[in-house]
Each structure stands twice: as structure tokens, then as C-alpha cells.
Amino acid sequence: MFESLKKKFSRTSEKLEEEIIEEAEAEDNLQEEKGTRFSFFSFGRKNKEEKEEDKEDESNLLPEAEDTSMDEETSADEVEEDKKSGFFSRFRSSDDEAEEDSEEDSEEEVEEDLEEDIEEVQEEKKSHFWSRNKDKDKNKEDISADGEATGGLFSFVREKTISEKHVEDILFELEMELLQADVAMEVASEVVDSVKNDLVGKKIKRSNDITEYTFLALRNAVAEIIDIPGKSMTEMIEAKKQEGEPLVVMFVGINGTGKTTTIGKLANYYLKRGYTPVIAASDTFRAGAIEQVTYHADNVGVKIIKHKKGSDPAAVAFDAVEHAKAQGKELVLIDTAGRMQTNTNLMDEMKKIKRVSKPDLLVFVGDALTGNDATEQAKKFNEAIDIDGVILTKADADSKGGASLSIGYVIKKPIMFLGVGQGYDDIKEYDAEWMLNQLFSEDDEAIEVEE
Ligand SMILES: Nc1nc2c(ncn2[C@@H]2O[C@H](COP(=O)(O)OP(=O)(O)OP(=O)(O)O)[C@@H](O)[C@H]2O)c(=O)[nH]1
Ligand SMILES: [Mg+2]
């Protein structure tokens, strides 16, 4: 999940490191250092699992240490290592990069690109400081007697301070990259401003500090953005239960975002937790909609309240609420027809369902794959009907991550659940900490869905 944002965050730290090292080199303010070199992600991993990792052999953390079988000639491993150090990126023109970003590179294409890069790099080798250090590294082959990787780690003879000049271009690039990953404009600007404020003025002694500070600055910025306070649906069910009332939840959104599937998933989710949900088939508009939601209700084993196709969806919702009250059921899930925010009649109909059924919770269901469109739709629905929260579906297939990062921040309403697949169990209660780890860890954590 969210590979695109992960890559972009990591690239920002690489670029800043290159920029500062290059400047220090020109100032004769650079010395190679023997020590451990962390990548952006291994730094994050250390943070997260510090205690466990500390117990292990430190060399396990190092990408370089794993490459003990490196050939003398330029090998795929060496190429990979150079890529990590950001070595090639300085030789790429911005056009090349834009082109590269615009397509999802297959592994073969990446290999080809890297081979071309190797040729370019070899021509430049004689004159370039990093190439010189690369040659030195070759002799040592990066692994010292105690198994520590030594290559590519520098310290500064005189302490350096990160200045606005160092970060300006890099942060502009980051902003562009975030926009390409479908992050909303205001969110991208917020990330960039926050990272800039954090980084500028920081004093650095070693090249590793740059990665560390960039990692922390980005992580802090994103943590702020994705942490929108709000009650969980479970807390709300419990609160209503104390009053002897069902929690009434109405789901809205444009066509095909996953409203009906999400209702099936939530009915299953809460049934397993000991509650008794009832579903209202209030999409009386689309052909086959009543049959579809009935199919889910039957599969999961919950009651469905339905009328005929074309009947008044508000009346169906009202009946479902009455049924839940009469039967002491704790949760009413109201399915509604998909509608474009521009369709005035259907938007008015939606407002009527709200007026009649008086939901405690109005949930906008957005498709994460539609990126910035999902954020824009959420804005429009929020303006029209004042939504309380968001469920983002198809997060399992979302490699960009832009909507997940932006949607809550833009409308100032929390994400409540993430849809993470097509099965009934494929729903995950949103957790900002989990999301942050998804964005800042190299390994995709398996999506754990509580039974
Ligand atoms: N991969 C994936 N697919 C999903 C997810 N949620 C829903 N889908 C799929 O999205 C498609 C549309 O889902 P529906 O539940 O019919 O969407 P809807 O919003 O009710 O659609 P309308 O009623 O037409 O507005 C279905 O094929 C679902 O299986 C999810 O979290 N992940
Ligand atoms: Mg539907």
C-alpha cells in the first residue's frame, strides 16, 4: 500500500543529503567516516522496533551488510546500492524524472534505466567525489572486520547548518511529487511548510543526520495531518445503547465507491462483536440494488428492510429505524443510491432521507483509487449534507495514498474505516498510528483484520 508516497518521502531525504554533501565537498569540509549507514526506511524501522533491534546484531539492519556477495564488476546488487544512496538521481535530468514518475516502472524497465545510468556514471566517475569514494569503497567492499558497512557515510569537518537554500528546490520537488500522488494541494503545502520549518536551522555533523532529520520532519508533518480527532463507530454504538437507542448510520457517495459492500462488511463486523445490525435498502433507484444489498444481508445473516424498486428511500430508512427500536437492535445501516454531487434532484432526495431517518452518523464512502477526486467529492457532499466521517474503500489496491493522506484533513472529519478488499472481513478500523507506519516503513505490514 501507498508505495508512491513512501518512495517520494525517501527520495526527498536522499536529495537533501546529496545537496549538502556536494556543498561540503566543494568547501573541503567532508571526511569519510567508518560507521553504520541507515537508509530512510531502516531508520524508521529502528525507531519503531528499537528495543528488539538493539538486541540483534546491528549488522542485520544494514542494507549494505546484506550485500556481502557483491561482484567486483558492476552487479545488480551494486546498482541497487547506488540507487539507495541516491547516486544516480543527481545525473538524471528533471525531464527524465518526470517521465519516469508518470509511469509505473516495471522491474525490467527499472533495470534498463539503471544500466543506462551506469554508463553515464562511468563517464563522470573521474571527476566526481562520490565516484572517488565509491572506488575507495570497492577496495574495502563496504564490510569491515566487525561486519559494519562503511561506505557512503560522511561527517563534516565543520558542522553544517541546513539552510533555506539547501531545501528550497528539494521541497518544491516534494510538493510536485505529492501532487502527482494525488495529495490535495493544501495538504501538500502543509507538509512542505512543516518540513521546511523543522529542517531549516538544524545543525548537522554527519550525513546520516540529514536522513534522520528529514525522516522525523516528514513523519511529524504527516502525523499531524492524518490525526483527526473523532469518536469511533463502536464508541457511538455503545453510547446509544446506554440510552436504549440504535445508532443510525447513513452511507452516501457517488456511484460504485463501495457503499453497499461496506454495509455488508460492517454488518458482519458488528455482528461478530455481539451487536445486531439491520440494513435499510434505501437505494430504490438503481436496477438490481435491492437484490444486491439483500444478497449481502443474507450472506452475513442480518435482517433487511426493503420496499419495492422506485419507492421512497426515506420511507425505507424510517421503517428500518422503527424496526430497530422495536426489536432492540443496536445498529441501523442505511444504503443509499450512488449519486453525483452535481445531480441536484438526487442530492435533494439524499437530504430528505437524512431529514426523515435522522441519522446519528452520516458517512461519506470514497474510493481511494480515485485519488484527488475522492477528496473533492467529500468536500462537495460535506457542503451539501454535513457529513460526520469517511470510509475509504479499495485501500488494498491504492499504491498512491493521496486520498488517504488528504481526505480527513481537507474536510476536517475523521476517516472511520478503510476498505481493504472485497471479502466481508476486509475492513479495518482506521488508526492513525497504523497509517503512519504504513507510510514510513519499508515493509508492507500485513493488513490485520480483527476477527
Ligand atoms: N478491492 C476492493 N474492492 C472493493 C472494496 N469495497 C468495494 N469494492 C468493490 O467495488 C465495487 C462496487 O461496490 P458497491 O458496494 O457495489 O459500490 P456502491 O457504492 O454501492 O455502488 P452504487 O450502489 O452503484 O453506487 C464492487 O465490485 C466491490 O466488490 C474494497 O475495499 N477493496
Ligand atoms: Mg450500492
Side-chain angles (χ1 to χ4, degrees):
M1 276 163 95
F2 314 134
E3 290 78 11
S4 165
L5 283 181
K6 286 184 197 179
K7 254 190 247 164
K8 291 170 196 328
F9 290 156
S10 163
R11 195 147 60 206
T12 303
S13 98
E14 283 173 8
K15 288 226 166 111
L16 184 55
E17 189 171 326
E18 286 167 26
E19 171 100 17
I20 293 177
I21 289 175
E22 207 161 328
E23 185 184 275
E25 220 284 304
E27 294 165 349
D28 220 5
N29 181 18
L30 198 65
Q31 56 196 9
E32 198 180 356
E33 199 180 291
K34 181 174 175 253
T36 307
R37 180 175 163 75
F38 292 114
S39 74
F40 186 82
F41 290 120
S42 63
F43 173 77
R45 201 164 69 224
K46 183 166 191 288
N47 248 10
K48 207 176 119 220
E49 295 165 7
E50 214 154 17
K51 285 181 193 144
E52 290 102 298
E53 296 281 336
D54 283 345
K55 285 185 213 145
E56 291 173 15
D57 180 351
E58 212 184 355
S59 64
N60 288 343
L61 279 174
L62 306 172
E64 290 88 345
E66 284 157 18
D67 293 341
T68 45
S69 61
M70 223 179 262
D71 288 334
E72 278 301 306
E73 289 162 35
T74 308
S75 66
D77 284 347
E78 191 180 343
V79 167
E80 196 51 40
E81 189 189 336
D82 280 336
K83 206 176 134 210
K84 277 178 201 151
S85 71
F87 182 45
F88 290 130
S89 56
R90 75 176 63 194
F91 295 105
R92 271 187 223 141
S93 72
S94 48
D95 283 349
D96 287 345
E97 280 194 34
E99 206 179 294
E100 193 180 293
D101 282 343
S102 70
E103 55 193 42
E104 286 296 324
D105 286 339
S106 72
E107 270 178 36
E108 274 164 24
E109 283 167 336
V110 170
E111 291 286 331
E112 269 172 37
D113 286 347
L114 287 173
E115 268 163 34
E116 281 169 27
D117 283 336
I118 292 166
E119 281 166 24
E120 268 182 63
V121 164
Q122 280 171 343
E123 278 170 33
E124 302 234 17
K125 250 186 171 177
K126 282 173 204 146
S127 63
H128 206 282
F129 85 93
W130 198 305
S131 308
R132 290 204 310 268
N133 283 304
K134 188 84 194 122
D135 289 342
K136 277 193 236 157
D137 289 347
K138 273 202 160 175
N139 298 330
K140 283 183 271 170
E141 210 44 281
D142 284 350
I143 309 294
S144 63
D146 57 4
E148 271 204 337
T150 57
L153 182 65
F154 301 95
S155 64
F156 305 108
V157 181
R158 296 174 302 282
E159 197 176 61
K160 284 197 71 71
T161 304
I162 302 177
S163 70
E164 201 151 336
K165 180 174 70 71
H166 292 129
V167 296
E168 220 163 50
D169 290 350
I170 291 150
L171 291 183
F172 176 74
E173 237 174 77
L174 175 69
E175 190 167 6
M176 293 302 113
E177 290 190 325
L178 291 177
L179 296 176
Q180 274 172 25
D182 271 344
V183 171
M185 180 90 84
E186 61 207 276
V187 174
S189 305
E190 179 65 33
V191 170
V192 165
D193 288 349
S194 165
V195 170
K196 184 174 169 184
N197 289 339
D198 261 13
L199 285 181
V200 172
K202 281 267 186 315
K203 300 213 181 311
I204 38 179
K205 295 197 182 96
R206 308 164 77 221
S207 54
N208 252 11
D209 296 345
I210 304 165
T211 308
E212 179 179 333
Y213 290 145
T214 318
F215 180 90
L216 288 175
L218 274 162
R219 198 179 158 101
N220 288 342
V222 172
E224 285 277 309
I225 281 162
I226 62 174
D227 193 15
I228 314 282
K231 282 202 184 112
S232 78
M233 201 180 282
T234 311
E235 284 170 332
M236 292 183 76
I237 296 174
E238 272 304 311
K240 290 291 282 189
K241 198 177 166 186
Q242 300 307 316
E243 298 168 20
E245 292 280 320
L247 182 80
V248 179
V249 190
M250 174 175 165
F251 297 84
V252 298
I254 72 152
N255 314 70
T257 56
K259 295 175 292 301
T260 308
T261 310
T262 300
I263 286 173
K265 290 176 184 179
L266 285 174
N268 177 61
Y269 184 86
Y270 283 112
L271 199 60
K272 282 188 174 173
R273 280 158 182 75
Y275 301 104
T276 313
V278 54
I279 297 176
S282 291
D283 179 357
T284 59
F285 181 76
R286 181 171 62 76
I290 298 174
E291 290 76 7
Q292 187 193 357
V293 72
T294 305
Y295 170 83
H296 289 313
D298 290 349
N299 278 349
V300 172
V302 300
K303 171 88 177 162
I304 181 146
I305 303 294
K306 55 185 174 185
H307 295 183
K308 283 207 286 289
K309 180 176 182 304
S311 59
D312 179 4
V316 183
F318 183 83
D319 282 358
V321 175
E322 289 303 299
H323 168 86
K325 284 181 177 168
Q327 302 288 318
K329 295 185 176 176
E330 294 99 346
L331 181 61
V332 182
L333 301 164
I334 304 173
D335 191 22
T336 66
R339 67 201 77 220
M340 291 304 290
Q341 63 273 21
T342 45
N343 186 325
T344 319
N345 287 345
L346 283 177
M347 290 303 267
D348 286 345
E349 182 208 70
M350 178 178 73
K351 290 175 191 167
K352 183 181 169 195
I353 307 174
K354 181 184 175 183
R355 270 198 315 276
V356 172
S357 64
K358 300 188 179 59
D360 304 293
L361 205 52
L362 222 150
V363 175
F364 172 80
V365 179
D367 174 344
L369 297 179
T370 62
N372 214 20
D373 284 350
T375 308
E376 285 302 313
Q377 290 151 13
K379 245 177 163 168
K380 293 280 181 282
F381 274 78
N382 193 36
E383 282 159 18
I385 198 173
D386 191 20
I387 62 178
D388 299 301
V390 175
I391 292 183
L392 262 188
T393 60
K394 311 183 195 179
D396 50 302
D398 179 22
S399 66
K400 284 188 167 181
S404 302
L405 188 62
S406 313
I407 202 161
Y409 181 86
V410 167
I411 59 167
K412 306 283 179 250
K413 304 286 166 70
I415 298 179
M416 310 191 93
F417 286 90
L418 287 176
V420 290
Q422 288 181 288
Y424 290 118
D425 284 326
D426 294 331
I427 191 150
K428 185 173 168 42
E429 205 151 346
Y430 181 79
D431 168 8
E433 188 60 35
W434 175 85
M435 176 86 177
L436 199 60
N437 287 334
Q438 284 282 321
L439 287 165
F440 288 90
S441 70
E442 190 173 24
D443 312 316
D444 260 0
E445 290 176 30
I447 298 163
E448 283 174 28
V449 180
E450 282 178 53
E451 282 302 310

